[in-house]
Amino acid sequence: QVQLVESGGGLVQPGGSLRLSCAASGSIFSMYAMGWYRQAQGKRRELVATITRGSSTNYADFVKGRLPISRDNAKNTVYLQMNRLKPEDTAVYYCKADLRTISSMSLGNYWGQGTQVTVSS
């Protein structure tokens, strides 16, 4: 089995910062792209940023340099540094990983359980 566990969410004032982490563990044969998505209340889940194993990145337009993504391949962990946060960034943030498991060797998408980020004064 594979687990993705997010951490680092919480309540922050506008203009503040948070750092989200997501660690993948379990019967992992190889990791590929990892990413962060978010879902605000009453809205669809949307892409925030993705990063390949070689650290090529892709960002949603609204990120505008505020939310850099990074990863540590040795730790199977992806990070989202959240800077200059705005109230509209309030959402549940989910990490996603594309990986192959030892048991099946098939490529699959795995999601974390989500972590709440609330930006409010």
Side-chain angles (χ1 to χ4, degrees):
Q1 274 196 335
V2 173
Q3 283 188 321
L4 272 64
V5 179
E6 297 116 335
S7 61
L11 173 64
V12 63
Q13 292 186 340
S17 298
L18 287 173
R19 189 189 193 211
L20 305 184
S21 301
C22 173
S25 62
S27 303
I28 299 171
F29 178 76
S30 58
M31 299 282 294
Y32 298 92
M34 302 183 79
W36 289 96
Y37 294 73
R38 71 184 189 184
Q39 187 167 17
Q41 193 169 7
K43 295 188 177 180
R44 292 183 176 181
R45 191 173 298 187
E46 62 181 353
L47 167 74
V48 177
T50 61
I51 183 168
T52 68
R53 185 173 180 84
S55 295
S56 294
T57 57
N58 178 54
Y59 292 97
D61 289 342
F62 61 79
V63 170
K64 297 181 179 179
R66 298 185 300 117
L67 310 178
I69 189 172
S70 61
R71 66 189 285 170
D72 184 331
N73 290 332
K75 296 180 180 180
N76 287 338
T77 299
V78 63
Y79 305 96
L80 187 70
Q81 178 64 44
M82 308 179 75
N83 302 317
R84 303 191 303 279
L85 283 163
K86 305 174 182 180
E88 51 264 42
D89 293 318
T90 296
V92 178
Y93 284 72
Y94 298 90
C95 74
K96 174 179 169 285
D98 300 337
L99 56 89
R100 294 185 190 275
T101 62
I102 294 173
S103 58
S104 72
M105 294 298 286
S106 60
L107 182 64
N109 300 328
Y110 293 80
W111 291 86
Q113 81 287 354
T115 185
Q116 177 71 46
V117 172
T118 302
V119 185
S120 175
S121 54

